[in-house]
Amino acid sequence: MSQLSADRFDERQLGDVVDRAEGNAFFVEELVNAAAEPGGAVPNDLADLLLVRLDRLDEAARQVVRTASVGGRRVSHVLLEAVVDLGANELETALRSAVDQNVLTADRGGYAFRHALLGEAVHDDLLPGERIRLHTRYVRALQDDPAAGPAAGLARHARLAHDWPTAFSASIEAAREANAVGAPASAAGHYLRALEIRATESDLSVDGPGPVDLVISAGEALMLAGDPERAEAVLREQYTAMGPGSSVTDQARLLVSLARAGSFLDGEQESLELSAKAVWLVPEGLSVVRTEIMVNHAKVLGAWGRVFEAEQAGLEALAMAEQLQRNDLASDAATTLSALLGSGSTEQMRESLRASVERAASAGALEAELRGRYLLGRSFQDQGQYSEAVGWFESAVELAADRHSRWAPYAFVAYWQLCWIRYLQGDWEQALAMTVVDDQPPLTGAVLTALRCTIGSARGDDIGRELAGLRSFWTRDVAVAIHSAPLEMILAGRRGQPESIMDRYAEVVADLTPVWQEWFDARLRLAAVAIGAIAEALPGCSSQQRLALRNPIERLHADGLEVLARRSSLARQRWGPEGRAWETRLHAETLRARWLVGSDDAPGAEELITAWKMCEEAFARLGHVHELAVVRTALVGVLQAAGGDQPQVRELIAAARRTAVALGAKPLLERLGSHRDAGPGPVELTPREGEVLRQVAEGHSNGEIGKRLFIATKTVSVHVSNLMAKLGASSRTEAVAMARRRGLI
């Protein structure tokens, strides 16, 4: 399409053109040249060409074709027979003519246009009054025989016939039918169309749900479809439009739905404010609305770690739900209360969650059951018990698939954690396969793309374009930010751009702080990754630049320490293998960076080796296959610089290389390739190597060194490689640091 038009087409426009053209290259060209809007009229020249086919038909056949165009892309014989004002024999003769002239095709008990654009052209050629009259006939036919077509068809024809009462009722029924067959996105569309009819047709006199009921139903359907962003938008629009005389109950119900949608968008702070307002609006006492409010309020309070308040709200909700015999709400409250037991015994929490899952399954409370299964999976994952975690996550994913709700919030996060565990354990091919899913909503697609980029980065693939596309999602889903921002830092480190590393770190912290709070846990990992990326960039820096990086390194280290300081002692004790691994990584990376910079507070060899060995043990406990190999590679460099135990060095290199080969991690293989089994004895350099080493220590590039020493750049490269081999260094900066400690410069 880019070759046919200078205008840029978004995915929606592109999909519309491809869909309407149905593989016909000429039609594609005509649609593109006309810059046709999705669903817009067929370009005049193309319409005239298509309508020529009707000239070969007699009047009866043309009447049938015009009536069929109003029916949509496909119309059943039964429905067409009920709508067309022709006898059975005359109708069959007309249809035979239309089929023989390649205007219509017959299949599956109905008829479709040979080409979709022909049907559009015929429909566009109808006079406005003729269209309304034909749509009215379809409405009557469907009302006389509901089996002739789904409620969605009746709703469409009624809208186009301006029969608003029928359109409203049929839209509600169409939404119910869509939900029954697991099509929540379609259900949401029908609810929203019914809401629009309610809003625009002031004289609509028909029984049915009111605006608040409709928008809440639409919001629930959108969340089941994996689109909490749109759910939040439609709910907020309705809440904003409520007048001062609106029902307090309706206001509270909308606030609860808004809070739920916001919590799925990581907006816990606003969700807490909205939920608290709903609690304030509805007085205490036994009622379904109060119960729904307290069920949600307990969840939100629990997310904020306000355990005591959450327990009080949950207990109130549970008591009311049981009095009202609302097993679905009781199951939801019980699941929340079970999760709150995480502040005590892990086994007690798990037993309670298992009971909650059984209760939710008996009550048919899908969201409560999914949430319980997900929370059980997380309880095992957080402790590094991956086989048990996988079992619970898979059970949630399977349940959601059976109930046609695979994009429901807790279903997707369970799926995402399955993908992450596959990545963590080194099963990258399966993890990649899981990131390619049809018809995924935008946010879930972005989260899966971030994981795909994580693997691509580790393999040395060009992921710059995909990463750039994820930037707009940083403020929309924290999972995208905390997984893609480190990749941008790592990429900047490989390119030797330490300033860019600090910029990315500052940006992601600024984006996530309003969503969580300033010292969120993931900031520890971000700081550790940033320091490590700076260490990767140091070889290309001059001595002056390296010294200038001391303050940024210390600021990052201080940020990580602040995260640790702000965690309660109990939270620190309960921190799982992942948190402890990145805590040791922060310390080890900081010491390595100080060592490479050559600052006055640089650690001694023993301190550095101890820190990286602790880091190796922590990542081994975590079971993070790739990061363990990365840590071992760094430890090799440290040991070689200190003239450490060579058998141990060889074992570490072999283990890391096996992992890198198995994963296809090219950057890691390149780093390992620079390591040699350098002995602990003295290093002898040639005079020329000594000159090159001193120039490298000044931060000059190979080209600059060649000009200064009047030798070829390629020759400089050979000398640098020999230097690194003799010293057992994995980078230029590491070689300089080792040489300084051995008194070579």
Side-chain angles (χ1 to χ4, degrees):
M1 287 179 64
S2 61
Q3 297 175 353
L4 299 175
S5 173
D7 296 330
R8 293 185 62 84
F9 286 80
D10 60 30
E11 291 186 9
R12 180 177 59 89
Q13 292 170 312
L14 175 63
D16 181 76
V17 168
V18 171
D19 186 43
R20 296 171 74 195
E22 293 184 331
N24 188 305
F26 171 70
F27 291 167
V28 170
E29 184 173 359
E30 288 295 313
L31 290 172
V32 171
N33 288 339
E37 289 296 323
V42 179
N44 290 334
D45 291 343
L46 180 56
D48 291 341
L49 178 64
L50 291 166
L51 291 172
V52 166
R53 295 192 184 188
L54 270 63
D55 293 342
R56 295 181 294 224
L57 303 177
D58 60 23
E59 180 54 35
R62 283 197 291 271
Q63 179 185 347
V64 170
V65 169
R66 286 195 293 270
T67 304
S69 74
V70 174
R73 287 203 166 183
R74 186 182 178 282
V75 60
S76 70
H77 182 87
V78 172
L79 187 56
L80 191 61
E81 186 177 33
V83 174
V84 176
D85 191 16
L86 293 173
N89 292 335
E90 193 176 3
L91 173 62
E92 289 179 6
T93 300
L95 284 168
R96 172 56 61 188
S97 175
V99 170
D100 290 344
Q101 294 298 325
N102 289 320
V103 174
L104 297 178
T105 61
D107 71 303
R108 294 178 299 160
Y111 307 94
F113 280 86
R114 174 67 65 178
H115 199 287
L117 283 180
L118 174 57
E120 290 184 36
V122 173
H123 185 270
D124 292 344
D125 195 49
L126 296 173
L127 295 173
E130 189 177 9
R131 288 182 203 153
I132 292 175
R133 177 174 57 82
L134 288 172
H135 280 297
T136 300
R137 286 190 177 183
Y138 274 99
V139 169
R140 290 172 181 167
L142 289 167
Q143 286 176 325
D144 291 342
D145 182 11
L154 176 58
R156 170 180 172 268
H157 289 299
R159 284 197 312 275
L160 295 173
H162 301 170
D163 181 353
W164 303 119
T166 301
F168 178 81
S169 300
S171 294
I172 303 300
E173 183 58 31
R176 291 171 182 154
E177 289 181 358
N179 275 327
V181 298
S186 295
H190 292 305
Y191 281 127
L192 291 174
R193 279 187 283 273
L195 178 65
E196 183 181 1
I197 294 171
R198 270 281 192 211
T200 56
E201 302 303 316
S202 57
D203 60 344
L204 185 69
S205 56
V206 61
D207 293 332
V212 172
D213 295 310
L214 290 170
V215 78
I216 288 175
S217 295
E220 291 291 333
L222 286 167
M223 284 190 280
L224 279 176
D227 196 353
E229 280 187 312
R230 189 165 175 232
E232 196 269 350
V234 299
L235 288 163
R236 189 176 298 278
E237 181 181 4
Q238 186 66 28
Y239 180 71
T240 303
M242 296 184 82
S246 301
S247 161
V248 169
T249 299
D250 283 347
Q251 290 182 51
R253 292 175 62 213
L254 270 178
L255 284 169
V256 169
S257 294
L258 259 176
R260 288 190 67 245
S263 65
F264 292 134
L265 292 169
D266 302 305
E268 284 92 348
Q269 183 170 354
E270 186 187 20
S271 293
L272 181 58
E273 294 170 359
L274 295 171
S275 184
K277 187 174 181 180
V279 172
W280 178 79
L281 281 172
V282 176
E284 294 184 12
L286 185 63
S287 70
V288 173
V289 173
R290 176 75 182 183
T291 307
E292 291 174 341
I293 289 171
M294 298 310 296
V295 165
N296 186 73
H297 198 50
K299 290 182 194 175
V300 177
L301 287 166
W304 269 91
R306 292 164 62 168
V307 177
F308 178 76
E309 294 171 85
E311 286 179 345
Q312 297 305 304
L315 289 170
E316 180 183 341
L318 181 60
M320 289 191 295
E322 289 178 338
Q323 281 185 270
L324 293 167
Q325 296 185 338
R326 284 292 301 270
N327 290 334
D328 54 338
L329 295 175
S331 298
D332 215 350
T335 302
T336 298
L337 290 168
S338 299
L340 293 172
L341 292 173
S343 59
S345 164
T346 300
E347 279 308 313
Q348 183 184 1
M349 175 194 68
R350 289 173 181 168
E351 288 179 13
S352 184
L353 278 173
R354 290 187 186 98
S356 297
V357 166
E358 292 178 5
R359 180 172 186 167
S362 300
L366 177 62
E367 184 177 317
E369 185 178 355
L370 287 173
R371 186 159 67 102
R373 292 179 182 278
Y374 166 73
L375 291 172
L376 274 163
R378 282 305 304 264
S379 77
F380 286 104
Q381 182 185 7
D382 290 345
Q383 297 302 316
Q385 298 169 290
Y386 297 123
S387 59
E388 294 90 344
V390 165
W392 284 106
F393 290 144
E394 286 181 340
S395 73
V397 171
E398 290 168 3
L399 171 64
D402 290 342
R403 301 285 289 274
H404 307 290
S405 301
R406 63 174 180 166
W407 299 120
Y410 293 108
F412 174 70
V413 291
Y415 184 84
W416 157 249
Q417 295 301 338
L418 278 176
C419 294
W420 183 253
I421 290 173
R422 301 302 182 206
Y423 160 71
L424 201 77
Q425 295 181 319
D427 191 355
W428 285 7
E429 296 310 319
Q430 184 173 355
L432 286 172
M434 292 177 71
T435 66
V436 181
V437 185
D438 294 332
D439 302 324
Q440 56 192 356
L443 278 182
T444 59
V447 173
L448 295 176
T449 299
L451 177 58
R452 195 161 56 247
C453 286
T454 300
I455 295 174
S457 173
R459 286 181 165 173
D461 299 338
D462 182 5
I463 60 169
R465 194 169 183 178
E466 279 190 295
L467 277 181
L470 292 175
R471 290 298 296 276
S472 63
F473 290 92
W474 279 18
T475 56
R476 297 166 63 185
D477 194 303
V478 296
V480 179
I482 62 176
H483 290 293
S484 64
L487 303 182
E488 291 202 13
M489 297 178 201
I490 292 169
L491 188 58
R494 290 175 184 169
R495 292 172 176 171
Q497 301 170 335
E499 295 82 5
S500 295
I501 297 169
M502 293 302 299
D503 289 343
R504 297 295 85 75
Y505 174 81
E507 288 171 12
V508 70
V509 168
D511 282 346
L512 295 185
T513 294
V515 177
W516 284 341
Q517 41 86 16
E518 186 176 6
W519 301 105
F520 53 91
D521 287 352
R523 189 167 178 176
L524 172 69
R525 173 173 170 260
L526 293 171
V529 171
I531 296 172
I534 289 175
E536 288 297 309
L538 285 171
C541 298
S542 66
S543 298
Q544 185 176 1
Q545 288 174 314
R546 287 198 295 270
L547 290 174
L549 287 169
R550 289 173 60 182
N551 286 338
I553 290 168
E554 296 307 321
R555 285 200 304 273
L556 290 166
H557 183 229
D559 282 0
L561 293 180
E562 186 67 22
V563 172
L564 294 172
R566 287 174 179 265
R567 288 181 65 86
S568 67
S569 58
L570 177 61
R572 286 287 297 279
Q573 292 170 14
R574 297 184 62 83
W575 213 347
E578 184 175 13
R580 289 191 289 271
W582 285 104
E583 182 178 352
T584 62
R585 185 72 168 272
L586 175 77
H587 181 58
E589 291 286 14
T590 302
L591 293 181
R592 181 168 72 122
R594 289 172 181 166
W595 174 61
L596 291 173
V597 167
S599 56
D600 295 337
D601 60 348
E606 185 176 349
E607 182 183 6
L608 191 59
I609 291 171
T610 299
W612 279 97
K613 283 186 174 180
M614 289 179 63
C615 193
E616 180 196 17
E617 292 172 2
F619 275 91
R621 284 194 299 271
L622 175 61
H624 198 318
V625 173
H626 178 254
E627 286 298 335
L628 176 59
V630 170
V631 168
R632 283 174 170 165
T633 303
L635 177 56
V636 166
V638 169
L639 286 168
Q640 288 186 332
D645 180 14
Q646 289 311 295
Q648 183 184 13
V649 168
R650 284 191 291 271
E651 288 176 9
L652 288 168
I653 290 175
R657 183 173 284 118
R658 283 195 299 272
T659 297
V661 170
L663 298 178
K666 294 178 183 177
L668 189 55
L669 280 172
E670 290 171 3
R671 287 181 61 186
L672 287 164
S674 67
H675 286 297
R676 300 291 184 271
D677 294 337
V683 176
E684 295 183 3
L685 303 180
T686 66
R688 178 63 82 184
E689 288 172 347
E691 291 177 324
V692 171
L693 178 59
R694 285 187 286 276
Q695 295 294 321
V696 170
E698 290 298 320
H700 298 300
S701 67
N702 287 357
E704 292 170 339
I705 295 171
K707 291 177 182 178
R708 286 170 173 265
L709 300 182
F710 303 102
I711 57 178
T713 301
K714 186 174 182 180
T715 303
V716 176
S717 179
V718 172
H719 285 311
V720 172
S721 296
N722 290 338
L723 281 167
M724 291 171 61
K726 287 182 177 182
L727 291 165
S730 62
S731 68
R732 294 161 69 98
T733 301
E734 196 171 46
V736 171
M738 292 176 175
R740 283 181 178 143
R741 281 160 179 73
R742 297 190 181 199
L744 298 175
I745 53 176

